[in-house]
Amino acid sequence: MTARAVARWQAAAPYAVGLVAALGVLAVLVAALGGDAPAAVGSLVRASLGSAAGFGQTLNKTAPLLFGSVAVILGLRAGAFNIGVDGQIYAGAVAATGVAFLAAGLPKLLAVPAVLVAGAAGGALLGAVPGLLRARAGVSEIFVTVMLNFIALFFVEYLSTGPWNDPMAGEAITRAVPPSTTLPLLGVRVGAHAGVLLALAAALAVWWLLYRTVFGYEVRAVGDNPTAARLGGIPVGRTVALALVASGALAGLAGAVEVSGFHYRLILGLSPGYGVMSILIAVLSRRHPLVAIVASLGFAALVVGTDSLQRSVGLPASAVFVVQAAVLLVLLASEGLRRAP
Amino acid sequence: MTPLVRLQGVRKRFGAVQALDGADFEVAAGEVHGLLGENGAGKTTLMNVLSGLYRPDAGQVEVDGTPVVIRGPQDAVRLGIGMVHQHFELVRHFTALENVVLGREGGFLLDRRALRADVESLMERVGLSVPLDRPVRELPVGVQQKVEILKALYRGARLLVLDEPTTLLTPQEVDALFSTLRSLVERGLGVVLITHKIQEVLRACDRITVMRRGRRVATVARAQADAARLVEWMVGGAPPGPAAKEPARGGAALLDLVDVQVVDSRGVVQLDGCTLQVRTGEIVGVAGVSGNGQTALAGVVAGALAPSGGEIRIRGEPVRSHGVGPRIQRGVLWIPEDRVREGVLPRMTVAENVVLGRHRALFPPLRYDPRRVRSLGEAAVETFRVVCPGPDAPAGLLSGGNLQKLLAARVFAHAQAGGVHLLVAQNPTRGLDVPSTEFLHAQLVRFCQQGGGVLLISEDLDELQKLSDRIVVLYRGRVVAEFTRAQFDPYAIGRAMAGVEVAR
Amino acid sequence: PSRPRLAMILPGVIQDADFNAVGYQALKEVQATTGVQTAHSEQVAVADAERVAREYLASGYGIVAFHGGQYLTIVQKLAPLFPDAVFIMESSGQIPNLPPNVWNIGRKFHEGFYVLGVLAALSTKTNRIGYVAGIRLPDFVASLNAVFQAVAKYNPRAEVLYTFVGDQNDPVKARQAAESQIAAGVDFIVISVNLGTVGILEAARAARRPVLLTTFYTDKSSYAPQHFAASLLSNFGKPYVEVTRQILAGKRGGYYEMRPGSGFGLTPPRNVPPEVARRVQQVWRAVVLRQERVDEITDRVVERR
Amino acid sequence: MSWELLLDPSLVRLAVSMAVPLALASAGELLMERAGLLNVAIEGIVTLAAAGAFLGAFASGSAGVGLVVGAAAGAAVSRLLAHYAVAWRRDQVTVGLTLYVLCVGLASLLYRMVVGVRLTPPRVETLPPVPLPWLGDLPLVGDILFRQHALVYAAAAVVGALHGFLFHTSLGLRLRAAGENPVAADTVGVDVFGLRAWAALAGGALVGLAGAALPFTLTGTFTEGIAGGRGWIALMLVIFGRWTPLGAAAGALLFAYVEAFQFKLALLSKAVPPQFLQMLPYAFAILVLVRAYRGAEAPEALGKPYDREART
Ligand SMILES: Nc1ncnc2c1ncn2[C@@H]1O[C@H](COP(=O)(O)OP(=O)(O)OP(=O)(O)O)[C@@H](O)[C@H]1O
Ligand SMILES: Nc1ncnc2c1ncn2[C@@H]1O[C@H](COP(=O)(O)OP(=O)(O)OP(=O)(O)O)[C@@H](O)[C@H]1O
Ligand SMILES: [Mg+2]
Ligand SMILES: [Mg+2]
């Protein structure tokens, strides 16, 4: 093993310790809330990873998280904080749904790529706004992306309750997209769709972009020290703007995949906080797209696993949030304690 | 006599680098103590241990003969230790005044008027003057250096550590600073002075300590020291001889500035009708007191600033599109003045820093090759003797002088590959040790011999006189005087720098 | 075989004293009256509902109920995959072509809102009636249209001002909307937001002239006794118990309609003249017996004068 | 559209009251950010404080107790954030978002534990208007500004005091230095860690007070999602106000006004789908910012863990 590999394992060690500690905390919390602690831990593992169906659902959850986190990573690498993943997911979902309606007659082989491209384009469009405003006017992309999240949400509400509404459902959801536009399933009983493979490809593509292209080098340089990058001949504004556009496209793909792989419709509530989770994963992964693959899977397993505690030990939903947060806090603390002076 | 401060057996390791390897050092009250050493020898690290910023892995600190534990800078401040940092630690959004008084404002309410009066009288006493009400980020680094010095003096420490305080000062300012230090030690303070300029050490210090590779090599009284011995201790052998520049034989015009005007974003005129020429094979030195348009001159030539008037020609062709990128394509490279803010990509590797600016020429857009980057970086590190764990180390970890070498390595590696015609070098040897300075000078000379031209902007008159074929003096954004090699005269140049009218 | 167990998936928390609370109540009622063992998962986003449902199915629950219409796709997807299980879902009306193992509960809110509209039409003194809704859902558009219909019939001089605040559960936005309406002269507000209601109650308290309110799902009179006119109550227990009984009896799919008289109830009107209360009860009975017809228009607002 | 509509006094009066939670939360956030701490848990803290304040008042019968509980909850969570960020040098965004999740869960859990599942939940009295002597009798302005509930005056005082503290006291200078360049502050003996911890306590308390303002001034009860994104908006107002208390407060008023105005507009313009009107405050905020912005002024060390020995 090389010295670098050893260093990597050493970096991973606190997470392992943290994970064990977190399970301990979980057991204590469950017991304190009157639940059966061993059952809880068992259920957590079984629900997320222990059964084919459970794992399939974990994979489905991984897809948007991985898209979202690599989107955030790409922005962060360029020194831009894309808080707009939620909005861009919705923009991608809107575009994907629209194109899916139009592509009703097309064969699947054409329709699905068209839907995905539309999703990417929709997200990119929403990413372009903060990109341009930051490059041209120096306006904080954080501010703009957050505002656009709200705006995108209202637009989705308009479409899903207005022109595209499915009147029978009585909710803010649109009519179903044609079956010819939906992603294939990886296994029918398992219920995982092909989106996770696309997300995996996206993560690898982002890695390749960052570390194997000149643009990626420039993105990293700009994110590291924009002044030095500018004096190194790099067009800083354009690089940041493009990174935000690409970031938006990735998030948009998440939206497209959720529509064509999972919901088969545009739905208000399509993104239950994927934006926030993506940021969390991106930062936890130390802004590395390959680490994000593992982190997204781990995070999805955590969410899926802890969520099952409602079913298995009757915890209220709020307690599940508390457990999730506690697990993360213990992880962070175990890492922090090791490095404390 | 017990020394004011004694450090013994101090060890400090950063990852793979043993920065201090059992270093000893002591300074007495009433002396100016020079600290010398190659770039990366551990001078800054040692002083950071003393000022509480770094916790040593081993070793003792004694103050007034009693062992102390310094847990943080607050402890050091309490013990009366003040420090001028090599890379100034200033709050860039604060005014110079706010920076100087920070931590010693006195009183609950901030009485800016009273504090201003205090600082003004301090400036008067020590012969350093800075505009107090401008945010520091708007000040040239030379002025920032003065703010940092004023900040340390304002604190009235018992021990004052100055880490390369003079790199950007004019000779007059250096004189003023040294006489201030002298009066301070006469009042019983101790002063540690880190510098790479042997002459300064010999002039200002009572005792001198030389460090090499994290250890003390020698401590001598000034009487026993001479330049050659000091250098020998530093490098552990004889240094290379100085580079000689043959006079240029009037080549073709490389750079022409005609009546160039630059107005900055605040509407302040930075260059006010500046005209000058650089020909092939020529080093043109630019002298001037910091803040007279040097930064704007470098920026406008290197493409970082767009002129608001006048004309720029490169190899006879007028330039229309500005921006650093297009300028690099036309063969103009720049070593900027502020290595930390403008030069280095701190979290990227040393190798990745080396290829910055050349990356577009090196690789097709989709074929960035990290292995190639690494080997280029390795070569550059070797040629320029950049002290670092390797080409894969994050550049931000390097010592000040090694950062500076990295910037030089970047442009010369690029020049070696061809297609580079003009070099704009701003204080390129700031903080370099003696051998490195000589090496860099030799590189500059060789670049000219191979048909390049250099616009050398420097605060160091000796350096300018040694290397330049011509020296122009910048005053309030214009060239007010020009000297050919035969006319070089520090006093005349100094007068021109001060704005005293000189015939051109 | 043994009796199937029933799991309910709810979109919000069950302590909301609103839509989710009545769903949870229904679940308890099912357990109490049919003896079927139940479980629930609350605050399940649409994006997670399929997973949660699959978990219940995998751990042996034979009946999975979705409290809300947003889970339509999931039911359509899962029902064919799990033919042995039965699914219960809610919607605005009867959904065509559902798999045979799906029970569909259609909710006809608008018929109830029609009666609230009558109450408003007969009670307003300023002849300005407010309607505060959250998301522009078809149900609430239909309900608004029903209010227009009622007002046009029972007090043609009155005007209906309506606002969609974009969120069912944001009391602050709901309050802002209500304050604007009150400032515009409204003295009777028909509320169709959920948790947003508390904001509107505060707006009514802060108003300088008396403002009456109606709420729905649960009886919220204790919040603001003097401002409270009536509430359209939803008793999901009724359909759920009925559907569960049918399932136990072997009927694995079908349609149940929730409407006034079957699942929707009206609290006795308060703070209004007795003759108004009497008249409103009359209309309620007429609607229950379908003697008075209420139009169902879900896709656009039709203002009638 | 007439001017009368735009300047409707009742609209302005409502906007002032609605701006209170935004102004308080952004003031608290700003204090922390000026010290270098980015508190992205803010939305969660507002929620938790709203629950805490409501439950405190519910249990004790006193609004004062509720306010204290709300502020204490905010202070405690922010202090925890500061501990992770300062002592353990963890990434502030990660910790902040985690605490956000924790707070949202905890708020709901506490409410369930204390109140339980009921069909008619309890409520507390909202704060009554307190007319100020003779100012309250001024025509027009009196009604808009000086016949408000106590938290309006408190928020105004907080904003003014914070401005004075940050820009006109020595401690304020040091606190800002800690947020701009912790090394510079540290090396002149400013206690960076201590200042950040105190800023977290005080700023967190203000954010908590903002959360408490929701039940006590607007709703009389705690409901799920009561914060409704207002924490995030407060975070944005800090940027909008360019890290000055007066700027952020002005932004809060502007935002609250446009939001209230939008509902007014909704009553008139029925042709426009309501969702497009609801976008107004957010679109408006972007437009204002684009016009008013000249370069970011964020504290330079904002969000960066300070490690003395790290050179990058
Ligand atoms: N915080 C740090 N992290 C990692 N490495 C460090 C750190 N500080 C110093 N070093 C390393 O320690 C060695 C000594 O550095 P130091 O800054 O003390 O040198 P110096 O003698 O001041 O050099 P110069 O003359 O170039 O300023 C260098 O190799 C440097 O890279
Ligand atoms: N969600 C609820 N909250 C409070 N009370 C309720 C609720 N649901 C039902 N009730 C009470 O139970 C009564 C019966 O409700 P239900 O909806 O079954 O009435 P209904 O179907 O109109 O009556 P019926 O069919 O018996 O004529 C209501 O009048 C009301 O008092
Ligand atoms: Mg040094
Ligand atoms: Mg219905």
Side-chain angles (χ1 to χ4, degrees), chain C residues 22 25 217-219 233-235 238 261-265 284, chain D residues 119:
Chain C
V22 295
Q25 256 216 332
Y217 286 128
T218 55
D219 183 352
L233 300 168
S234 313
N235 177 7
K238 193 150 179 166
S262 63
F264 287 130
W284 176 262
Chain D
L119 287 182

PDB file of all heavy atoms in Angstrom, chain C residues 22 25 217-219 233-235 238 261-265 284, chain D residues 119, ligand 2:
ATOM      1  N   VAL C  22     -57.236  14.046  11.251  1.00  0.00           N
ATOM      2  CA  VAL C  22     -58.481  13.325  10.969  1.00  0.00           C
ATOM      3  C   VAL C  22     -58.187  12.002  10.274  1.00  0.00           C
ATOM      4  O   VAL C  22     -58.906  11.013  10.470  1.00  0.00           O
ATOM      5  CB  VAL C  22     -59.501  14.183  10.165  1.00  0.00           C
ATOM      6  CG1 VAL C  22     -59.947  15.354  11.001  1.00  0.00           C
ATOM      7  CG2 VAL C  22     -58.943  14.636   8.836  1.00  0.00           C
ATOM      8  N   GLN C  25     -57.221   9.737  13.037  1.00  0.00           N
ATOM      9  CA  GLN C  25     -58.438   9.362  13.767  1.00  0.00           C
ATOM     10  C   GLN C  25     -59.170   8.236  13.064  1.00  0.00           C
ATOM     11  O   GLN C  25     -59.634   7.293  13.692  1.00  0.00           O
ATOM     12  CB  GLN C  25     -59.361  10.578  13.826  1.00  0.00           C
ATOM     13  CG  GLN C  25     -59.383  11.242  15.154  1.00  0.00           C
ATOM     14  CD  GLN C  25     -60.782  11.746  15.444  1.00  0.00           C
ATOM     15  OE1 GLN C  25     -61.545  12.061  14.530  1.00  0.00           O
ATOM     16  NE2 GLN C  25     -61.102  11.831  16.710  1.00  0.00           N
ATOM     17  N   TYR C 217     -62.204  20.500   7.853  1.00  0.00           N
ATOM     18  CA  TYR C 217     -61.567  19.306   8.422  1.00  0.00           C
ATOM     19  C   TYR C 217     -61.963  19.093   9.877  1.00  0.00           C
ATOM     20  O   TYR C 217     -62.522  18.075  10.229  1.00  0.00           O
ATOM     21  CB  TYR C 217     -60.042  19.348   8.313  1.00  0.00           C
ATOM     22  CG  TYR C 217     -59.545  19.105   6.919  1.00  0.00           C
ATOM     23  CD1 TYR C 217     -58.665  19.988   6.318  1.00  0.00           C
ATOM     24  CD2 TYR C 217     -59.955  17.984   6.205  1.00  0.00           C
ATOM     25  CE1 TYR C 217     -58.203  19.768   5.026  1.00  0.00           C
ATOM     26  CE2 TYR C 217     -59.508  17.758   4.918  1.00  0.00           C
ATOM     27  CZ  TYR C 217     -58.623  18.646   4.331  1.00  0.00           C
ATOM     28  OH  TYR C 217     -58.182  18.424   3.073  1.00  0.00           O
ATOM     29  N   THR C 218     -61.580  20.064  10.748  1.00  0.00           N
ATOM     30  CA  THR C 218     -61.904  19.864  12.164  1.00  0.00           C
ATOM     31  C   THR C 218     -62.632  21.082  12.699  1.00  0.00           C
ATOM     32  O   THR C 218     -62.628  22.146  12.068  1.00  0.00           O
ATOM     33  CB  THR C 218     -60.634  19.675  13.001  1.00  0.00           C
ATOM     34  OG1 THR C 218     -59.789  20.800  12.771  1.00  0.00           O
ATOM     35  CG2 THR C 218     -59.900  18.394  12.642  1.00  0.00           C
ATOM     36  N   ASP C 219     -63.195  20.916  13.857  1.00  0.00           N
ATOM     37  CA  ASP C 219     -63.920  22.011  14.497  1.00  0.00           C
ATOM     38  C   ASP C 219     -62.913  22.912  15.192  1.00  0.00           C
ATOM     39  O   ASP C 219     -62.246  22.497  16.130  1.00  0.00           O
ATOM     40  CB  ASP C 219     -64.887  21.422  15.522  1.00  0.00           C
ATOM     41  CG  ASP C 219     -65.721  22.508  16.184  1.00  0.00           C
ATOM     42  OD1 ASP C 219     -65.426  23.706  15.936  1.00  0.00           O
ATOM     43  OD2 ASP C 219     -66.639  22.162  16.931  1.00  0.00           O
ATOM     44  N   LEU C 233     -66.808  19.519   8.635  1.00  0.00           N
ATOM     45  CA  LEU C 233     -65.981  18.482   9.252  1.00  0.00           C
ATOM     46  C   LEU C 233     -65.781  17.306   8.308  1.00  0.00           C
ATOM     47  O   LEU C 233     -66.682  16.944   7.560  1.00  0.00           O
ATOM     48  CB  LEU C 233     -66.665  17.978  10.521  1.00  0.00           C
ATOM     49  CG  LEU C 233     -66.895  19.049  11.571  1.00  0.00           C
ATOM     50  CD1 LEU C 233     -67.819  18.515  12.646  1.00  0.00           C
ATOM     51  CD2 LEU C 233     -65.571  19.483  12.160  1.00  0.00           C
ATOM     52  N   SER C 234     -64.599  16.763   8.360  1.00  0.00           N
ATOM     53  CA  SER C 234     -64.345  15.573   7.550  1.00  0.00           C
ATOM     54  C   SER C 234     -64.198  14.397   8.493  1.00  0.00           C
ATOM     55  O   SER C 234     -63.333  14.404   9.355  1.00  0.00           O
ATOM     56  CB  SER C 234     -63.043  15.730   6.768  1.00  0.00           C
ATOM     57  OG  SER C 234     -63.010  16.985   6.152  1.00  0.00           O
ATOM     58  N   ASN C 235     -65.011  13.423   8.317  1.00  0.00           N
ATOM     59  CA  ASN C 235     -64.860  12.216   9.117  1.00  0.00           C
ATOM     60  C   ASN C 235     -64.405  11.092   8.197  1.00  0.00           C
ATOM     61  O   ASN C 235     -65.207  10.405   7.578  1.00  0.00           O
ATOM     62  CB  ASN C 235     -66.179  11.865   9.793  1.00  0.00           C
ATOM     63  CG  ASN C 235     -66.061  10.576  10.583  1.00  0.00           C
ATOM     64  OD1 ASN C 235     -64.960  10.032  10.722  1.00  0.00           O
ATOM     65  ND2 ASN C 235     -67.179  10.088  11.077  1.00  0.00           N
ATOM     66  N   LYS C 238     -65.493   7.218   8.583  1.00  0.00           N
ATOM     67  CA  LYS C 238     -66.639   6.594   7.954  1.00  0.00           C
ATOM     68  C   LYS C 238     -66.226   5.829   6.683  1.00  0.00           C
ATOM     69  O   LYS C 238     -66.448   4.625   6.600  1.00  0.00           O
ATOM     70  CB  LYS C 238     -67.677   7.666   7.657  1.00  0.00           C
ATOM     71  CG  LYS C 238     -68.998   7.087   7.296  1.00  0.00           C
ATOM     72  CD  LYS C 238     -70.100   8.040   7.729  1.00  0.00           C
ATOM     73  CE  LYS C 238     -71.439   7.427   7.330  1.00  0.00           C
ATOM     74  NZ  LYS C 238     -72.539   8.103   7.983  1.00  0.00           N
ATOM     75  N   GLY C 261     -73.142  14.199   4.296  1.00  0.00           N
ATOM     76  CA  GLY C 261     -73.970  13.066   4.655  1.00  0.00           C
ATOM     77  C   GLY C 261     -73.200  11.772   4.702  1.00  0.00           C
ATOM     78  O   GLY C 261     -73.577  10.842   5.381  1.00  0.00           O
ATOM     79  N   SER C 262     -72.135  11.696   3.965  1.00  0.00           N
ATOM     80  CA  SER C 262     -71.329  10.489   4.089  1.00  0.00           C
ATOM     81  C   SER C 262     -69.862  10.894   4.197  1.00  0.00           C
ATOM     82  O   SER C 262     -69.152  10.968   3.223  1.00  0.00           O
ATOM     83  CB  SER C 262     -71.549   9.547   2.898  1.00  0.00           C
ATOM     84  OG  SER C 262     -71.138  10.149   1.701  1.00  0.00           O
ATOM     85  N   GLY C 263     -69.450  11.234   5.404  1.00  0.00           N
ATOM     86  CA  GLY C 263     -68.062  11.603   5.653  1.00  0.00           C
ATOM     87  C   GLY C 263     -67.866  13.092   5.902  1.00  0.00           C
ATOM     88  O   GLY C 263     -66.944  13.495   6.580  1.00  0.00           O
ATOM     89  N   PHE C 264     -68.722  13.940   5.330  1.00  0.00           N
ATOM     90  CA  PHE C 264     -68.639  15.366   5.621  1.00  0.00           C
ATOM     91  C   PHE C 264     -69.812  15.776   6.483  1.00  0.00           C
ATOM     92  O   PHE C 264     -70.964  15.420   6.192  1.00  0.00           O
ATOM     93  CB  PHE C 264     -68.653  16.203   4.339  1.00  0.00           C
ATOM     94  CG  PHE C 264     -67.367  16.110   3.565  1.00  0.00           C
ATOM     95  CD1 PHE C 264     -67.373  15.822   2.217  1.00  0.00           C
ATOM     96  CD2 PHE C 264     -66.144  16.305   4.195  1.00  0.00           C
ATOM     97  CE1 PHE C 264     -66.180  15.734   1.500  1.00  0.00           C
ATOM     98  CE2 PHE C 264     -64.952  16.212   3.494  1.00  0.00           C
ATOM     99  CZ  PHE C 264     -64.973  15.918   2.135  1.00  0.00           C
ATOM    100  N   GLY C 265     -69.473  16.504   7.539  1.00  0.00           N
ATOM    101  CA  GLY C 265     -70.517  16.989   8.430  1.00  0.00           C
ATOM    102  C   GLY C 265     -70.380  18.486   8.611  1.00  0.00           C
ATOM    103  O   GLY C 265     -69.366  19.077   8.253  1.00  0.00           O
ATOM    104  N   TRP C 284     -78.136  22.381   3.860  1.00  0.00           N
ATOM    105  CA  TRP C 284     -77.277  21.207   4.074  1.00  0.00           C
ATOM    106  C   TRP C 284     -78.041  19.914   3.760  1.00  0.00           C
ATOM    107  O   TRP C 284     -77.576  19.063   3.014  1.00  0.00           O
ATOM    108  CB  TRP C 284     -76.761  21.204   5.516  1.00  0.00           C
ATOM    109  CG  TRP C 284     -75.948  19.983   5.875  1.00  0.00           C
ATOM    110  CD1 TRP C 284     -76.399  18.885   6.524  1.00  0.00           C
ATOM    111  CD2 TRP C 284     -74.579  19.744   5.568  1.00  0.00           C
ATOM    112  NE1 TRP C 284     -75.399  17.973   6.665  1.00  0.00           N
ATOM    113  CE2 TRP C 284     -74.241  18.478   6.084  1.00  0.00           C
ATOM    114  CE3 TRP C 284     -73.585  20.486   4.927  1.00  0.00           C
ATOM    115  CZ2 TRP C 284     -72.984  17.909   5.976  1.00  0.00           C
ATOM    116  CZ3 TRP C 284     -72.328  19.932   4.811  1.00  0.00           C
ATOM    117  CH2 TRP C 284     -72.033  18.665   5.325  1.00  0.00           C
TER     118      TRP C 284
ATOM    119  N   LEU D 119     -57.483  17.218  18.397  1.00  0.00           N
ATOM    120  CA  LEU D 119     -58.176  17.851  17.277  1.00  0.00           C
ATOM    121  C   LEU D 119     -58.342  19.341  17.491  1.00  0.00           C
ATOM    122  O   LEU D 119     -58.507  20.095  16.545  1.00  0.00           O
ATOM    123  CB  LEU D 119     -59.543  17.187  17.074  1.00  0.00           C
ATOM    124  CG  LEU D 119     -59.427  15.786  16.461  1.00  0.00           C
ATOM    125  CD1 LEU D 119     -60.790  15.189  16.234  1.00  0.00           C
ATOM    126  CD2 LEU D 119     -58.668  15.843  15.136  1.00  0.00           C
TER     127      LEU D 119
HETATM  128  N1  LIG E   2     -63.043  15.617  12.212  1.00  0.00           N
HETATM  129  C1  LIG E   2     -63.977  15.762  13.172  1.00  0.00           C
HETATM  130  N2  LIG E   2     -63.704  16.613  14.190  1.00  0.00           N
HETATM  131  C2  LIG E   2     -64.633  16.776  15.145  1.00  0.00           C
HETATM  132  N3  LIG E   2     -65.819  16.189  15.163  1.00  0.00           N
HETATM  133  C3  LIG E   2     -66.148  15.364  14.174  1.00  0.00           C
HETATM  134  C4  LIG E   2     -65.214  15.101  13.132  1.00  0.00           C
HETATM  135  N4  LIG E   2     -65.778  14.239  12.296  1.00  0.00           N
HETATM  136  C5  LIG E   2     -66.987  13.993  12.781  1.00  0.00           C
HETATM  137  N5  LIG E   2     -67.235  14.678  13.916  1.00  0.00           N
HETATM  138  C6  LIG E   2     -68.433  14.656  14.701  1.00  0.00           C
HETATM  139  O1  LIG E   2     -69.181  13.524  14.385  1.00  0.00           O
HETATM  140  C7  LIG E   2     -70.415  13.869  13.801  1.00  0.00           C
HETATM  141  C8  LIG E   2     -70.730  12.907  12.657  1.00  0.00           C
HETATM  142  O2  LIG E   2     -69.811  13.096  11.615  1.00  0.00           O
HETATM  143  P1  LIG E   2     -70.010  12.457  10.204  1.00  0.00           P
HETATM  144  O3  LIG E   2     -69.055  13.080   9.256  1.00  0.00           O
HETATM  145  O4  LIG E   2     -70.030  10.977  10.341  1.00  0.00           O
HETATM  146  O5  LIG E   2     -71.454  13.001   9.908  1.00  0.00           O
HETATM  147  P2  LIG E   2     -72.420  12.668   8.737  1.00  0.00           P
HETATM  148  O6  LIG E   2     -71.799  11.648   7.893  1.00  0.00           O
HETATM  149  O7  LIG E   2     -72.797  13.953   8.190  1.00  0.00           O
HETATM  150  O8  LIG E   2     -73.618  12.094   9.590  1.00  0.00           O
HETATM  151  P3  LIG E   2     -74.584  10.949   9.279  1.00  0.00           P
HETATM  152  O9  LIG E   2     -74.078  10.206   8.111  1.00  0.00           O
HETATM  153  O10 LIG E   2     -74.584  10.184  10.559  1.00  0.00           O
HETATM  154  O11 LIG E   2     -75.844  11.691   9.038  1.00  0.00           O
HETATM  155  C9  LIG E   2     -70.270  15.307  13.345  1.00  0.00           C
HETATM  156  O12 LIG E   2     -71.461  15.996  13.337  1.00  0.00           O
HETATM  157  C10 LIG E   2     -69.305  15.835  14.337  1.00  0.00           C
HETATM  158  O13 LIG E   2     -69.935  16.320  15.503  1.00  0.00           O
END
